[in-house]
Coordinates of all heavy atoms in Angstrom, one line a residue:
M1 N 43.9 -36.8 58.4 CA 42.8 -36.2 57.7 C 41.7 -37.2 57.6 O 41.9 -38.3 57.3 CB 43.3 -35.8 56.2 CG 42.3 -35.4 55.3 SD 42.9 -34.7 53.7 CE 44.1 -35.8 53.1
P2 N 40.4 -36.8 57.8 CA 39.3 -37.7 57.8 C 39.1 -38.2 56.4 O 39.5 -37.6 55.4 CB 38.1 -36.8 58.1 CG 38.6 -35.6 58.8 CD 40.0 -35.4 58.3
D3 N 38.5 -39.5 56.3 CA 38.4 -40.1 55.0 C 37.5 -39.3 54.0 O 37.7 -39.4 52.8 CB 37.7 -41.5 55.1 CG 38.7 -42.5 55.7 OD1 39.9 -42.2 55.7 OD2 38.2 -43.5 56.2
D4 N 36.6 -38.5 54.5 CA 35.8 -37.7 53.6 C 36.3 -36.3 53.3 O 35.7 -35.5 52.7 CB 34.3 -37.6 54.1 CG 34.2 -37.0 55.5 OD1 35.3 -36.8 56.1 OD2 33.1 -36.7 55.9
A5 N 37.5 -36.0 53.8 CA 38.1 -34.7 53.6 C 38.5 -34.5 52.1 O 39.0 -35.5 51.5 CB 39.3 -34.5 54.5
I6 N 38.3 -33.4 51.6 CA 38.7 -33.1 50.2 C 40.1 -32.4 50.2 O 40.3 -31.4 50.9 CB 37.6 -32.2 49.5 CG1 36.3 -32.9 49.5 CG2 38.1 -31.9 48.1 CD1 35.2 -32.1 48.9
P7 N 41.0 -33.0 49.4 CA 42.4 -32.4 49.4 C 42.3 -30.9 48.9 O 41.4 -30.5 48.1 CB 43.1 -33.2 48.4 CG 42.4 -34.5 48.3 CD 40.9 -34.2 48.6
K8 N 43.2 -30.1 49.4 CA 43.2 -28.7 49.1 C 43.2 -28.4 47.6 O 42.5 -27.5 47.2 CB 44.5 -28.1 49.8 CG 44.6 -26.6 49.6 CD 45.9 -26.1 50.3 CE 46.0 -24.6 50.0 NZ 47.3 -24.1 50.6
Q9 N 44.0 -29.1 46.9 CA 44.1 -28.9 45.4 C 42.7 -29.1 44.8 O 42.3 -28.4 43.9 CB 45.1 -29.9 44.7 CG 46.4 -29.8 45.2 CD 46.7 -30.9 46.3 OE1 45.9 -31.1 47.2 NE2 47.8 -31.6 46.2
L10 N 42.0 -30.1 45.3 CA 40.6 -30.4 44.8 C 39.7 -29.3 45.1 O 38.8 -28.9 44.3 CB 40.1 -31.8 45.3 CG 38.9 -32.3 44.7 CD1 38.9 -32.2 43.2 CD2 38.6 -33.7 45.2
V11 N 39.8 -28.7 46.3 CA 38.9 -27.6 46.7 C 39.1 -26.4 45.8 O 38.2 -25.8 45.3 CB 39.2 -27.2 48.2 CG1 38.4 -25.9 48.5 CG2 38.7 -28.3 49.1
S12 N 40.4 -26.2 45.5 CA 40.7 -25.1 44.5 C 40.1 -25.3 43.1 O 39.6 -24.5 42.5 CB 42.2 -24.9 44.4 OG 42.7 -24.5 45.6
L13 N 40.3 -26.6 42.7 CA 39.7 -27.0 41.4 C 38.2 -26.8 41.4 O 37.6 -26.3 40.4 CB 40.1 -28.4 41.0 CG 39.6 -29.0 39.7 CD1 40.1 -28.2 38.5 CD2 39.9 -30.4 39.6
L14 N 37.5 -27.2 42.4 CA 36.1 -27.1 42.5 C 35.6 -25.7 42.5 O 34.6 -25.3 41.9 CB 35.5 -27.8 43.7 CG 35.7 -29.4 43.7 CD1 35.2 -30.0 45.0 CD2 34.9 -29.9 42.5
H15 N 36.4 -24.8 43.2 CA 36.0 -23.4 43.1 C 36.1 -22.8 41.7 O 35.2 -22.1 41.3 CB 36.9 -22.5 44.1 CG 36.4 -22.6 45.5 ND1 35.3 -22.0 45.9 CD2 36.9 -23.3 46.6 CE1 35.1 -22.2 47.2 NE2 36.1 -23.0 47.6
S16 N 37.1 -23.2 41.0 CA 37.3 -22.8 39.6 C 36.2 -23.4 38.7 O 35.6 -22.7 37.9 CB 38.6 -23.3 39.0 OG 39.7 -22.6 39.7
I17 N 35.9 -24.6 38.9 CA 34.8 -25.3 38.1 C 33.4 -24.6 38.4 O 32.6 -24.4 37.5 CB 34.7 -26.8 38.4 CG1 35.9 -27.5 37.8 CG2 33.4 -27.4 37.9 CD1 36.1 -28.9 38.2
S18 N 33.2 -24.3 39.7 CA 31.9 -23.7 40.1 C 31.7 -22.3 39.4 O 30.6 -21.9 39.2 CB 31.8 -23.5 41.6 OG 32.6 -22.5 42.0
E19 N 32.8 -21.7 38.9 CA 32.7 -20.4 38.3 C 32.4 -20.5 36.8 O 32.1 -19.6 36.1 CB 33.9 -19.6 38.5 CG 34.1 -19.2 39.9 CD 35.4 -18.5 40.2 OE1 36.3 -18.4 39.3 OE2 35.7 -18.2 41.4
D20 N 32.4 -21.8 36.3 CA 32.1 -22.1 34.9 C 31.0 -23.1 34.8 O 31.2 -24.2 35.0 CB 33.4 -22.6 34.2 CG 33.2 -22.8 32.7 OD1 32.1 -23.2 32.2 OD2 34.2 -22.7 32.0
R21 N 29.8 -22.5 34.5 CA 28.6 -23.4 34.5 C 28.7 -24.6 33.6 O 28.3 -25.7 34.0 CB 27.4 -22.5 34.1 CG 26.1 -23.3 34.2 CD 25.0 -22.4 33.8 NE 23.7 -23.2 33.8 CZ 22.6 -22.7 33.6 NH1 22.4 -21.4 33.5 NH2 21.5 -23.4 33.7
R22 N 29.3 -24.5 32.5 CA 29.5 -25.6 31.6 C 30.4 -26.7 32.2 O 30.0 -27.9 32.1 CB 30.1 -25.2 30.3 CG 30.0 -26.2 29.2 CD 30.7 -25.7 27.9 NE 32.1 -25.7 28.2 CZ 33.0 -25.2 27.5 NH1 32.7 -24.5 26.4 NH2 34.3 -25.3 27.8
L23 N 31.5 -26.3 32.8 CA 32.3 -27.3 33.5 C 31.6 -27.9 34.7 O 31.7 -29.2 34.9 CB 33.6 -26.7 34.0 CG 34.7 -26.4 32.9 CD1 35.8 -25.6 33.5 CD2 35.1 -27.7 32.3
A24 N 30.9 -27.1 35.4 CA 30.1 -27.7 36.6 C 29.1 -28.7 36.1 O 28.9 -29.8 36.7 CB 29.4 -26.5 37.3
E25 N 28.4 -28.4 35.1 CA 27.4 -29.3 34.5 C 28.0 -30.6 34.0 O 27.5 -31.7 34.2 CB 26.6 -28.7 33.4 CG 25.6 -27.6 33.9 CD 24.9 -26.8 32.8 OE1 25.2 -27.0 31.6 OE2 24.0 -26.0 33.2
W26 N 29.2 -30.4 33.4 CA 30.0 -31.6 32.9 C 30.3 -32.5 34.1 O 30.1 -33.7 34.0 CB 31.2 -31.2 32.2 CG 32.1 -32.3 31.9 CD1 32.0 -33.2 30.9 CD2 33.3 -32.7 32.6 NE1 33.0 -34.1 30.9 CE2 33.8 -33.9 32.0 CE3 33.9 -32.2 33.8 CZ2 35.0 -34.5 32.5 CZ3 35.0 -32.8 34.2 CH2 35.5 -34.0 33.6
L27 N 30.9 -31.9 35.1 CA 31.3 -32.8 36.3 C 30.1 -33.4 36.9 O 30.2 -34.6 37.2 CB 32.1 -31.9 37.3 CG 32.6 -32.7 38.5 CD1 33.6 -33.8 38.1 CD2 33.2 -31.8 39.5
L28 N 29.1 -32.7 37.2 CA 27.9 -33.3 37.8 C 27.3 -34.3 36.9 O 26.7 -35.3 37.3 CB 26.9 -32.2 38.2 CG 27.3 -31.3 39.3 CD1 26.4 -30.1 39.5 CD2 27.5 -32.0 40.6
G29 N 27.4 -34.1 35.6 CA 26.9 -35.1 34.6 C 27.6 -36.5 34.7 O 27.0 -37.5 34.3
L30 N 28.8 -36.5 35.2 CA 29.5 -37.7 35.3 C 28.9 -38.7 36.4 O 29.1 -39.9 36.4 CB 31.0 -37.5 35.7 CG 31.9 -36.9 34.7 CD1 33.3 -36.6 35.2 CD2 32.0 -37.8 33.4
E31 N 28.0 -38.1 37.2 CA 27.3 -38.9 38.2 C 26.5 -40.0 37.5 O 26.2 -41.0 38.1 CB 26.4 -38.1 39.1 CG 27.2 -37.2 40.1 CD 26.2 -36.4 40.9 OE1 25.5 -35.6 40.4 OE2 26.3 -36.6 42.2
Q32 N 26.0 -39.7 36.3 CA 25.2 -40.6 35.5 C 25.9 -41.8 35.0 O 25.3 -42.8 34.6 CB 24.5 -39.9 34.4 CG 23.7 -38.7 34.8 CD 22.7 -39.0 35.9 OE1 21.9 -39.9 35.8 NE2 22.7 -38.2 36.9
H33 N 27.2 -41.8 35.0 CA 28.0 -42.9 34.4 C 28.3 -43.9 35.5 O 28.4 -43.6 36.7 CB 29.4 -42.3 33.9 CG 29.2 -41.4 32.7 ND1 29.0 -41.9 31.4 CD2 29.1 -40.1 32.6 CE1 28.8 -40.8 30.6 NE2 28.9 -39.7 31.3
P34 N 28.5 -45.2 35.1 CA 28.9 -46.2 36.1 C 30.2 -45.8 36.7 O 31.1 -45.2 36.1 CB 29.0 -47.5 35.2 CG 28.3 -47.2 34.0 CD 28.3 -45.7 33.8
P35 N 30.4 -46.1 38.0 CA 31.6 -45.7 38.7 C 32.9 -46.1 38.0 O 33.9 -45.4 37.9 CB 31.5 -46.4 40.1 CG 30.0 -46.5 40.3 CD 29.5 -46.8 38.9
A36 N 33.0 -47.3 37.4 CA 34.2 -47.8 36.8 C 34.5 -47.0 35.5 O 35.6 -46.6 35.3 CB 34.1 -49.3 36.4
A37 N 33.5 -46.6 34.8 CA 33.7 -45.8 33.6 C 34.1 -44.4 34.0 O 35.0 -43.8 33.3 CB 32.4 -45.8 32.7
R38 N 33.5 -43.9 35.0 CA 33.8 -42.5 35.5 C 35.3 -42.5 36.0 O 36.0 -41.6 35.6 CB 32.9 -42.1 36.6 CG 33.1 -40.7 37.2 CD 32.1 -40.4 38.2 NE 32.0 -41.3 39.3 CZ 30.9 -41.9 39.7 NH1 29.7 -41.7 39.1 NH2 30.9 -42.7 40.7
Q39 N 35.7 -43.5 36.7 CA 37.0 -43.6 37.2 C 38.0 -43.7 36.1 O 39.0 -43.0 36.1 CB 37.2 -44.8 38.1 CG 38.6 -45.0 38.7 CD 38.7 -46.2 39.6 OE1 38.1 -47.3 39.2 NE2 39.4 -46.1 40.6
A40 N 37.7 -44.5 35.1 CA 38.7 -44.6 34.0 C 38.8 -43.3 33.2 O 39.9 -42.9 32.8 CB 38.2 -45.8 33.0
A41 N 37.7 -42.6 33.0 CA 37.7 -41.4 32.3 C 38.5 -40.3 33.0 O 39.3 -39.6 32.4 CB 36.3 -40.9 32.0
L42 N 38.3 -40.2 34.3 CA 39.0 -39.2 35.1 C 40.5 -39.5 35.2 O 41.4 -38.6 35.1 CB 38.4 -39.1 36.5 CG 37.0 -38.5 36.6 CD1 36.4 -38.8 37.9 CD2 37.1 -37.0 36.3
L43 N 40.9 -40.8 35.4 CA 42.3 -41.2 35.4 C 43.0 -40.9 34.0 O 44.1 -40.5 34.0 CB 42.5 -42.6 35.8 CG 42.1 -42.9 37.3 CD1 42.2 -44.4 37.6 CD2 43.0 -42.1 38.3
R44 N 42.2 -41.2 33.0 CA 42.8 -41.0 31.6 C 43.0 -39.5 31.4 O 44.0 -39.0 30.9 CB 41.8 -41.5 30.6 CG 42.3 -41.4 29.2 CD 41.4 -42.1 28.1 NE 40.0 -41.9 28.3 CZ 39.1 -42.8 28.8 NH1 39.5 -44.0 29.1 NH2 37.8 -42.5 28.9
M45 N 42.0 -38.6 31.9 CA 42.1 -37.2 31.7 C 43.3 -36.7 32.5 O 44.1 -35.9 32.0 CB 40.9 -36.5 32.2 CG 41.0 -35.0 32.2 SD 39.5 -34.2 32.9 CE 38.3 -34.7 31.7
A46 N 43.5 -37.2 33.7 CA 44.7 -36.8 34.6 C 46.0 -37.2 33.9 O 46.9 -36.4 33.9 CB 44.6 -37.4 36.0
A47 N 46.0 -38.4 33.3 CA 47.3 -38.8 32.6 C 47.6 -37.9 31.4 O 48.7 -37.6 31.2 CB 47.1 -40.3 32.2
E48 N 46.5 -37.6 30.7 CA 46.7 -36.7 29.5 C 47.2 -35.3 30.0 O 48.1 -34.7 29.3 CB 45.4 -36.6 28.7 CG 45.0 -37.8 28.0 CD 43.7 -37.8 27.3 OE1 43.0 -36.7 27.3 OE2 43.2 -38.8 26.8
M49 N 46.7 -34.8 31.1 CA 47.1 -33.5 31.6 C 48.6 -33.6 31.9 O 49.3 -32.6 31.7 CB 46.2 -33.1 32.8 CG 44.8 -32.8 32.4 SD 43.7 -32.6 33.9 CE 44.3 -31.0 34.4
R50 N 49.0 -34.6 32.6 CA 50.4 -34.8 33.0 C 51.3 -34.9 31.7 O 52.3 -34.2 31.7 CB 50.6 -36.0 33.8 CG 50.0 -35.9 35.2 CD 50.3 -37.1 36.1 NE 49.6 -37.0 37.3 CZ 48.6 -37.8 37.7 NH1 48.1 -38.8 36.8 NH2 47.9 -37.7 38.8
A51 N 50.8 -35.6 30.8 CA 51.6 -35.8 29.5 C 51.7 -34.4 28.8 O 52.7 -34.2 28.1 CB 51.0 -36.8 28.6
D52 N 50.7 -33.6 28.9 CA 50.7 -32.3 28.3 C 51.5 -31.2 29.1 O 51.5 -30.1 28.7 CB 49.3 -31.8 28.0 CG 48.6 -32.6 26.9 OD1 49.3 -33.3 26.2 OD2 47.3 -32.5 26.9
G53 N 52.0 -31.6 30.3 CA 52.8 -30.7 31.1 C 51.9 -29.8 31.9 O 52.5 -28.7 32.4
E54 N 50.7 -30.1 32.1 CA 49.8 -29.2 32.9 C 50.3 -29.2 34.4 O 51.0 -30.1 34.8 CB 48.4 -29.7 32.9 CG 47.9 -29.8 31.4 CD 46.7 -28.8 31.2 OE1 46.3 -28.1 32.1 OE2 46.3 -28.7 30.0
D55 N 49.8 -28.3 35.1 CA 50.1 -28.2 36.6 C 49.8 -29.5 37.3 O 48.7 -30.0 37.2 CB 49.3 -27.0 37.2 CG 49.6 -26.7 38.6 OD1 50.0 -27.7 39.4 OD2 49.5 -25.6 39.0
S56 N 50.8 -30.0 38.0 CA 50.6 -31.3 38.6 C 49.6 -31.3 39.7 O 48.9 -32.3 39.9 CB 52.0 -31.9 39.1 OG 52.5 -31.0 40.2
A57 N 49.4 -30.2 40.4 CA 48.4 -30.1 41.4 C 47.0 -30.2 40.8 O 46.1 -30.9 41.4 CB 48.5 -28.8 42.2
I58 N 46.8 -29.7 39.6 CA 45.5 -29.8 39.0 C 45.3 -31.2 38.5 O 44.2 -31.8 38.7 CB 45.4 -28.8 37.8 CG1 45.4 -27.4 38.4 CG2 44.1 -29.0 37.0 CD1 45.5 -26.3 37.3
S59 N 46.3 -31.8 37.9 CA 46.1 -33.2 37.4 C 45.9 -34.2 38.6 O 45.2 -35.1 38.5 CB 47.3 -33.6 36.5 OG 48.5 -33.6 37.2
D60 N 46.6 -33.9 39.7 CA 46.4 -34.7 40.9 C 45.0 -34.6 41.4 O 44.4 -35.6 41.9 CB 47.4 -34.3 42.0 CG 48.9 -34.8 41.6 OD1 49.1 -35.5 40.7 OD2 49.8 -34.3 42.4
A61 N 44.5 -33.4 41.4 CA 43.1 -33.1 41.8 C 42.1 -33.9 40.9 O 41.1 -34.5 41.4 CB 42.8 -31.7 41.8
V62 N 42.3 -33.9 39.6 CA 41.4 -34.6 38.7 C 41.5 -36.1 39.0 O 40.5 -36.8 39.1 CB 41.8 -34.3 37.3 CG1 41.0 -35.2 36.3 CG2 41.5 -32.8 36.9
A63 N 42.7 -36.6 39.2 CA 42.9 -38.0 39.6 C 42.2 -38.4 40.9 O 41.7 -39.5 41.0 CB 44.4 -38.4 39.6
A64 N 42.3 -37.5 41.8 CA 41.6 -37.7 43.1 C 40.1 -37.9 43.0 O 39.5 -38.7 43.7 CB 41.9 -36.6 44.1
L65 N 39.5 -37.3 41.9 CA 38.1 -37.4 41.7 C 37.7 -38.9 41.3 O 36.6 -39.2 41.3 CB 37.6 -36.5 40.6 CG 37.6 -35.0 40.9 CD1 37.3 -34.2 39.7 CD2 36.5 -34.8 42.0
A66 N 38.7 -39.7 40.9 CA 38.4 -41.1 40.5 C 38.0 -41.9 41.8 O 37.4 -43.0 41.6 CB 39.6 -41.7 39.9
Q67 N 38.4 -41.4 43.0 CA 38.0 -42.1 44.2 C 36.5 -41.8 44.5 O 36.1 -40.7 44.6 CB 38.8 -41.7 45.4 CG 40.3 -41.9 45.2 CD 41.1 -41.4 46.3 OE1 40.8 -41.6 47.5 NE2 42.2 -40.6 46.0
P68 N 35.7 -42.9 44.5 CA 34.2 -42.6 44.6 C 33.8 -41.7 45.8 O 33.0 -40.8 45.6 CB 33.7 -44.0 44.9 CG 34.7 -44.9 44.2 CD 36.0 -44.3 44.4
H69 N 34.4 -41.8 47.0 CA 34.0 -41.0 48.1 C 34.4 -39.5 47.8 O 33.7 -38.6 48.2 CB 34.6 -41.5 49.4 CG 36.0 -41.3 49.6 ND1 37.0 -42.1 49.0 CD2 36.7 -40.4 50.3 CE1 38.2 -41.7 49.4 NE2 38.1 -40.7 50.2
L70 N 35.6 -39.3 47.2 CA 36.0 -37.9 46.8 C 35.1 -37.3 45.7 O 34.8 -36.2 45.8 CB 37.4 -37.8 46.5 CG 38.4 -38.0 47.6 CD1 39.8 -37.9 47.2 CD2 38.1 -36.9 48.7
F71 N 34.7 -38.2 44.8 CA 33.9 -37.7 43.7 C 32.5 -37.3 44.3 O 32.0 -36.2 44.0 CB 33.7 -38.8 42.6 CG 32.8 -38.3 41.5 CD1 33.2 -37.5 40.5 CD2 31.4 -38.7 41.5 CE1 32.4 -37.1 39.5 CE2 30.6 -38.2 40.5 CZ 31.1 -37.4 39.5
E72 N 31.9 -38.1 45.1 CA 30.7 -37.7 45.8 C 30.8 -36.5 46.6 O 29.9 -35.6 46.5 CB 30.2 -38.9 46.6 CG 29.7 -40.1 45.9 CD 29.4 -41.3 46.8 OE1 29.1 -41.1 47.9 OE2 29.5 -42.4 46.3
A73 N 31.8 -36.4 47.4 CA 32.0 -35.2 48.2 C 32.2 -33.9 47.3 O 31.7 -32.8 47.6 CB 33.2 -35.3 49.1
A74 N 33.0 -34.1 46.2 CA 33.2 -33.0 45.3 C 31.9 -32.5 44.6 O 31.6 -31.3 44.5 CB 34.2 -33.4 44.2
C75 N 31.0 -33.5 44.2 CA 29.7 -33.1 43.7 C 28.9 -32.4 44.7 O 28.2 -31.4 44.4 CB 29.0 -34.3 43.1 SG 29.8 -35.0 41.6
D76 N 28.9 -32.9 45.9 CA 28.1 -32.2 47.0 C 28.6 -30.8 47.2 O 27.8 -29.9 47.3 CB 28.2 -33.0 48.3 CG 27.5 -34.3 48.3 OD1 26.6 -34.5 47.4 OD2 27.8 -35.2 49.2
T77 N 30.0 -30.6 47.2 CA 30.6 -29.3 47.4 C 30.2 -28.4 46.2 O 29.8 -27.3 46.4 CB 32.1 -29.4 47.5 OG1 32.4 -30.2 48.6 CG2 32.8 -28.1 47.6
L78 N 30.2 -28.9 45.0 CA 29.9 -28.1 43.8 C 28.5 -27.7 43.9 O 28.2 -26.5 43.6 CB 30.2 -29.0 42.6 CG 30.3 -28.3 41.3 CD1 31.3 -27.1 41.3 CD2 30.6 -29.2 40.2
R79 N 27.6 -28.6 44.3 CA 26.2 -28.1 44.5 C 26.0 -27.1 45.5 O 25.2 -26.2 45.4 CB 25.3 -29.4 44.8 CG 25.0 -30.2 43.6 CD 23.9 -31.2 43.8 NE 24.3 -32.5 44.3 CZ 24.9 -33.4 43.6 NH1 25.2 -33.2 42.4 NH2 25.3 -34.5 44.2
E80 N 26.8 -27.2 46.6 CA 26.7 -26.2 47.7 C 27.2 -24.8 47.2 O 26.7 -23.8 47.6 CB 27.5 -26.6 48.9 CG 26.9 -27.7 49.7 CD 27.8 -28.2 50.8 OE1 28.8 -27.4 51.2 OE2 27.6 -29.3 51.3
L81 N 28.2 -24.8 46.3 CA 28.8 -23.6 45.8 C 27.8 -22.9 44.8 O 27.7 -21.7 44.7 CB 30.1 -23.8 45.1 CG 31.2 -24.2 46.0 CD1 32.5 -24.6 45.2 CD2 31.6 -23.1 47.0
G82 N 27.0 -23.8 44.2 CA 25.9 -23.3 43.3 C 26.4 -22.5 42.1 O 27.6 -22.3 41.9
P83 N 25.4 -22.2 41.3 CA 25.7 -21.5 40.0 C 26.1 -20.0 40.3 O 25.8 -19.4 41.3 CB 24.4 -21.5 39.2 CG 23.3 -21.9 40.2 CD 24.0 -22.5 41.4

């Protein structure tokens, strides 16, 4: 898989997020945060999701967003999907 490829679970998550304008704006708003703060927040969110027994594919997708290249690709994809 190419380095810039987005995992299947993340693609599914992005399609769901694109259908909720508030969630899309939230995710795109994370671009304004320093990468280290964004990474920590996403990893914390994924850990909380796992602790709450959420679907592991979704929490794994959120954790994948902590990787800068995947976060950038995800934001690009989300913009392409549009409102």
Side-chain angles (χ1 to χ4, degrees):
M1 171 168 50
D3 287 342
D4 60 348
I6 299 177
K8 182 180 175 183
Q9 304 95 312
L10 187 50
V11 172
S12 296
L13 178 64
L14 290 175
H15 279 286
S16 295
I17 290 173
S18 73
E19 294 173 358
D20 185 324
R21 183 177 177 174
R22 193 182 72 192
L23 284 175
E25 289 173 356
W26 170 80
L27 183 63
L28 292 172
L30 289 177
E31 288 179 301
Q32 305 305 314
H33 296 278
R38 181 175 57 234
Q39 179 182 38
L42 290 165
L43 291 175
R44 185 173 44 253
M45 179 185 292
E48 289 173 10
M49 292 171 73
R50 287 184 190 110
D52 290 342
E54 302 246 355
D55 184 329
S56 64
I58 295 171
S59 60
D60 289 349
V62 171
L65 287 171
Q67 299 176 49
H69 72 283
L70 286 180
F71 180 80
E72 290 174 23
C75 287
D76 290 345
T77 299
L78 196 53
R79 280 193 272 289
E80 287 175 18
L81 294 171

